[in-house]
Every structure is written in structure tokens, then in C-alpha cells.
Amino acid sequence: MTWMIWRQHRSEVLAAALLAVLMILWSQPFQQVLGPWATFDVTGSVLIAYALFALGLGVLLGTLFGKVLPAMAISIPTFLFVRAAVGYLLRPFYLPPLQAIWNLTGPDPQIKDLIVRQWFVDGFGNRVSTSLLTPCLLSPGNKGSALQCIHDLGYQYLRIYQPASRFWTFQAIETALSLALAAAFVALTY
């Protein structure tokens, strides 16, 4: 049964693998500017694992319903929902996130990192209400940017983040998760 599924859909899986390689090459300029997290979902091994996850889900639902259209009508939104939930709820916490404070001067030190949460704090580390920042955001004055205005008030940016150096570790974790789900779907189908 599993071999028949592979034989019927191997071209889709191989196309996903080719697409993953092409996306890695295509995304290099973006990653140099924005960091690797900007293209996480469309590069590397996760793209192939997502394809296998979607295939396994579709085959399972097709087997359960016995009809293609109802299976597709449920599998596509289910796949998208699971992908979004993993991306927003699980991925930021595969490893404990780090914490850093940026004093708002110079280039952004976390520009290439995955920001989990961020907020402004005062010199004692207390969270600052955005209402205190409104004058800077509406009219930073002649001193420069809004960030410079906020810095001049003594506020800083506290960030909880995942560094870019963890990108491939997170790719491996999410690939393993997607492949485990795909294997579970195939096992249930069998």
C-alpha cells in the first residue's frame, strides 16, 4: 500500500525536493539582508517534509472519505492550519529563546534573528506604555528619527529572540516533526 502511494506520487515529492534546492539558491540574497528566518518555510528540508506531510494527510483523508473532493476540502485547510500553528506557536520555542536589549542606536543587532516578542523598557527594565512613546512616534522633532527620540527619553528595546545561528537546527526539528506526522498518517491509512 505504502509503496503504491510512493509510486503514484513520487514525481510530486521529487518536484518538492527540486523546488527546495531552487528556493535555497533563490533566497540567498534575501537571507543576506533579512536573515534566514524570512524564508524558513520555503527553503531547506522543511519544504520536502511539508510536501510529504500534505501528501500523507491527503491520502489518509481520501481513504477515510472515499472521495477526492471532500478529502481535499478538509485536507487543504487542515494543512494550512497546522502549518500556521507550528510556525507561530511551536517554532519560536523549539529551544529556549534568548533575551537582548537594544539601546536603539546603531544598526539593529537582531535584524537577522527570529523575534519572538519585543517591547520598550525603561532604564530599570520595566515595560513602557506605548502612550509614553506617542510624542516620538507622531513627531520625532528635529533630532532625527523616532527611535532616536525614544532613545533620548531613556527607553530601550527588550527582545526575546532566536538567533540566526539556530536556523538549521530549527529546520531539522521541524522536518522531523513533519515527517513524523506524515509517517503517522501513512500508518493510519495502512
Side-chain angles (χ1 to χ4, degrees):
M1 179 73 166
T2 305
W3 178 249
M4 288 176 46
I5 294 170
W6 165 250
R7 286 187 58 199
Q8 290 175 338
H9 298 286
R10 68 177 171 235
S11 60
E12 289 92 345
V13 174
L14 294 174
L18 177 62
L19 181 62
V21 170
L22 292 174
M23 289 302 292
I24 289 171
L25 297 174
W26 173 81
S27 68
Q28 288 303 314
F30 295 104
Q31 290 185 4
Q32 289 174 358
V33 175
L34 302 173
W37 300 105
T39 58
F40 185 91
D41 291 328
V42 294
T43 58
S45 58
V46 295
L47 189 58
I48 299 163
Y50 296 160
L52 291 170
F53 167 76
L55 175 64
L57 177 63
V59 169
L60 173 63
L61 292 174
T63 301
L64 291 175
F65 289 108
K67 296 187 182 224
V68 173
L69 288 178
M72 286 176 59
I74 294 173
S75 65
I76 292 172
T78 301
F79 172 76
L80 294 174
F81 174 78
V82 170
R83 289 285 315 110
V86 167
Y88 291 108
L89 301 176
L90 295 180
R91 184 184 306 149
F93 304 102
Y94 289 154
L95 294 174
L98 304 178
Q99 180 176 314
I101 291 184
W102 177 34
N103 66 3
L104 306 173
T105 60
D108 184 349
Q110 275 85 41
I111 190 81
K112 295 183 179 185
D113 297 329
L114 174 64
I115 305 299
V116 177
R117 278 182 251 132
Q118 58 188 355
W119 54 87
F120 288 101
V121 294
D122 60 19
F124 299 107
N126 299 316
R127 196 173 191 157
V128 174
S129 170
T130 53
S131 63
L132 296 174
L133 307 174
T134 304
C136 290
L137 299 174
L138 294 178
S139 174
N142 56 9
K143 292 185 178 181
S145 71
L147 288 180
Q148 183 62 46
C149 177
I150 293 168
H151 170 74
D152 292 345
L153 292 174
Y155 301 132
Q156 302 173 1
Y157 222 10
L158 174 68
R159 289 183 168 151
I160 310 298
Y161 71 99
Q162 294 289 355
S165 62
R166 293 181 177 176
F167 177 81
W168 289 109
T169 302
F170 280 43
Q171 279 269 323
I173 292 169
E174 200 153 317
T175 297
L177 179 64
S178 295
L179 291 177
L181 288 171
F185 295 149
V186 169
L188 287 171
T189 301
Y190 184 70

